Amino acid sequence: MTREALHELSAPALVELYRRREVSPVEVARSVLGHVERWEQYLHALYLLRPEQVLEQARASEARWLKGEPLGLLDGVPVTIKDNIATRGDPTPLGTAASELIPASADAPPAARVREQGAVLLAKTTMPDYGMLSSGLSSFHKLARNPWDLTKTPGGSSAGAGAAAAAGYGPLHLGTDIGGSLRLPAGWCGIFTLKPSLGRVPIDPPYMGRAAGPMTRTVQDAALLMRVLAHPDERDSMSLPAQDIAWSSFDAGSDRLRGLRVGLLLEAGCGLAVDPEVRAAVQKAARAFERAGAVVAPMKPFMTQAMLDGMDHFWRMRSHVDMRSLPPDVKARVLPYIQQWADSAAGLTGEAVFRAFHQFHLTRVAAVNACRPFDYVLAPVSPLPAFAAELPSPTNDPLRPLEHIGFTVPFNMSEQPAASINCGYTAAGLPIGLQIIGKRFDDLGVLQVARAFELVREPQRPWPQPPSEAIHHVD
């Protein structure tokens, strides 16, 4: 095994190598840092990359392993954490130049859990202003790009995390999701993610529909990270009680699909039309489920444009209220697109805001009812492949900003677990994400079904390499 390959290894593989003393966490840290150095000038996935601090953490881990006293399941494994997940002593800019750079007084729950297990914090990852875009466009961070095609977005708002996972910045990455911010970048970057059931992974501050979750190349790595993250934390008022979940049983083989009742949702009922290449890839995935013994049946769309617009208008008012409290010179630092979007709520009446808020409840009820006849549901993650990196959204219209989240946002509001896993590629070579949705609290089941699909899907293309290496390889 060459040192250059260490950044590609899974978290369980690294831990086993540490246990056998065949590889040191310091060697792994140097391999990841070297790989980041080759990639990062193109991707802009990271914030607060501090190589000396990374190596200091790795040396401490190495010392623990040499004593046979690892801290926990992730000791010495590199991990990145999204900008908006607070890490003690670091500022939390939320992707916007309008934020005050005040050091956080404590780790947010996901950061605390990985640190307790000995993980090496490689860096924070970039995101758009306030997490309100499905792209890597930010007034604070450099523009994040997709490693599969540098002219395309990695998605958002967990933009840097998606790019970092696809590029091989180590095995484990932590992101967040309130309308698709884990699944959209996972789908567009060809990686795996699980948006857990609400409260399964505590987060601070908690908010309706907001979840934190793993972003990885494999289901195996995500299952290990869930084992670490899924513990109650009283800072999250929606945190679920402690539960003994056998995360290590994520691999039940392809037989896990046999006899399952699976719904196939190919139309969101709102927003943008589904791209033909996306539709074909999801249908092909459904046929793989059928060949493995699942019973797949079509689902009618349950979302409406009124639901999507209502959620949009409520979020506009929330952001409008937040930004109205900023001094004019500070507000002016926010991306103009976000300013226009938030300012458009200025004329909404109290009744209009109430009616907009009510759409969250209607969405929740509709999603649960639509999924009830099925064990699991398959759907596209997004109606379209990754779009131009410079655009804030596919429509580039602040009055039509959420037209691409009709497949993802309902499952935030219904609190159901939903994964994204790669199911194919466009003719241009861009990944296409398949969404796998389970019933509320069935996070392990979603991981098992995703692992089964991982086993039966067609072979995946090689992960993208830094441009200079790709050119050298062609030569």
Side-chain angles (χ1 to χ4, degrees):
M1 183 178 298
T2 64
R3 178 168 296 176
E4 288 70 31
L6 293 178
H7 62 267
E8 301 276 355
L9 296 180
S10 70
L14 288 175
V15 170
E16 183 58 28
L17 288 171
Y18 298 157
R19 182 171 285 111
R20 300 203 306 249
R21 299 190 181 184
E22 292 182 19
V23 165
S24 156
V26 176
E27 292 177 281
V28 172
R30 286 182 175 143
S31 176
V32 173
L33 287 169
H35 191 62
V36 167
E37 187 176 2
R38 294 186 289 273
W39 251 130
E40 185 59 8
Q41 60 186 307
Y42 306 103
L43 297 183
H44 305 138
L46 301 184
Y47 168 57
L48 296 181
L49 174 64
R50 297 164 292 201
E52 277 311 310
Q53 288 192 22
V54 174
L55 291 170
E56 183 181 337
Q57 295 173 73
R59 284 190 285 268
S61 173
E62 179 183 60
R64 291 191 294 269
W65 279 108
L66 288 173
K67 291 179 184 176
E69 298 175 354
L71 267 182
L73 296 171
L74 304 181
D75 206 331
V77 178
V79 62
T80 71
I81 300 176
K82 188 177 175 181
D83 161 346
N84 67 342
I85 299 174
T87 48
R88 185 182 62 256
D90 296 326
T92 310
L94 306 177
T96 180
S99 289
E100 290 187 71
L101 298 181
I102 301 171
S105 59
D107 285 331
R113 299 296 86 80
V114 296
R115 269 212 240 254
E116 290 162 0
Q117 297 292 322
V120 171
L121 174 55
L122 175 68
K124 304 297 285 288
T125 49
T126 58
M127 63 181 280
D129 288 52
Y130 301 113
M132 290 310 302
L133 296 177
S134 300
S135 78
L137 186 62
S138 165
S139 61
F140 181 83
H141 301 296
K142 291 183 179 179
L143 178 64
R145 295 182 180 274
N146 191 319
W148 291 92
D149 181 341
L150 295 174
T151 70
K152 303 298 184 184
T153 183
S157 64
S158 303
Y169 288 15
L172 304 179
H173 309 271
L174 269 170
T176 64
D177 188 315
I178 201 170
S181 289
L182 284 165
R183 289 157 290 162
L184 291 164
W188 290 330
C189 290
I191 63 166
F192 179 77
T193 194
L194 174 69
K195 181 206 73 67
S197 300
L198 187 74
R200 179 70 71 205
V201 175
I203 195 164
D204 182 29
Y207 195 81
M208 175 179 58
R210 186 172 185 232
M215 301 181 77
T216 60
R217 287 182 169 186
T218 66
V219 177
Q220 179 189 38
D221 277 331
L224 177 61
L225 198 44
M226 285 300 296
R227 191 174 165 192
V228 168
L229 297 172
H231 296 280
D233 192 300
E234 62 185 11
R235 289 174 287 176
D236 186 344
S237 56
M238 295 177 277
S239 172
L240 295 176
Q243 187 177 355
D244 186 15
I245 298 173
W247 298 108
S248 57
S249 67
F250 73 92
D251 189 348
S254 59
D255 282 349
R256 180 67 172 81
L257 304 182
R258 189 168 304 281
L260 290 182
R261 299 166 300 162
V262 176
L264 178 59
L265 182 66
L266 290 172
E267 297 293 340
C270 58
L272 297 172
V274 178
D275 179 275
E277 287 186 297
V278 171
R279 177 187 293 270
V282 172
Q283 288 175 318
K284 188 173 185 179
R287 290 194 293 273
F289 271 71
E290 288 180 322
R291 287 194 299 273
V295 179
V296 179
M299 284 178 66
K300 293 179 180 178
F302 59 86
M303 283 284 287
T304 66
Q305 193 65 39
M307 292 174 183
L308 189 64
D309 290 345
M311 290 186 278
D312 174 23
H313 292 163
F314 180 81
W315 281 331
R316 290 188 204 196
M317 180 56 81
R318 182 190 67 172
S319 294
H320 175 64
V321 171
D322 288 344
M323 288 188 208
R324 197 169 56 186
S325 68
L326 298 175
D329 61 318
V330 176
K331 179 185 173 184
R333 299 175 199 160
V334 178
L335 278 179
Y337 182 97
I338 297 291
Q339 291 187 52
Q340 294 169 39
W341 172 72
D343 287 347
S344 69
L348 290 178
T349 64
E351 180 181 342
V353 174
F354 170 78
R355 292 186 181 280
F357 180 75
H358 186 54
Q359 296 300 324
F360 288 91
H361 174 69
L362 296 180
T363 299
R364 176 194 178 109
V365 171
V368 171
N369 286 341
C371 295
R372 183 173 289 117
F374 306 103
D375 299 310
Y376 299 93
V377 168
L378 305 180
V381 170
S382 164
L384 74 168
F387 52 94
E390 293 79 9
L391 295 181
S393 70
T395 61
N396 196 26
D397 181 352
L399 300 185
R400 294 178 60 237
L402 305 183
E403 300 295 293
H404 57 291
I405 70 169
F407 286 109
T408 50
V409 71
F411 305 111
N412 293 81
M413 300 314 138
S414 66
E415 307 180 15
Q416 294 170 253
S420 173
I421 187 167
N422 194 57
C423 68
Y425 305 87
T426 67
L430 294 173
I432 297 171
L434 171 72
Q435 194 175 190
I436 300 173
I437 303 108
K439 295 184 185 295
R440 192 176 175 212
F441 309 132
D442 188 22
D443 304 75
L444 178 58
V446 170
L447 286 179
Q448 290 174 336
V449 170
R451 172 56 181 160
F453 178 67
E454 202 174 39
L455 291 169
V456 301
R457 67 181 176 179
E458 292 186 347
Q460 299 295 285
R461 297 183 184 182
W463 292 102
Q465 297 299 321
S468 58
E469 292 186 18
I471 293 169
H472 178 74
H473 180 72
V474 171
D475 292 344

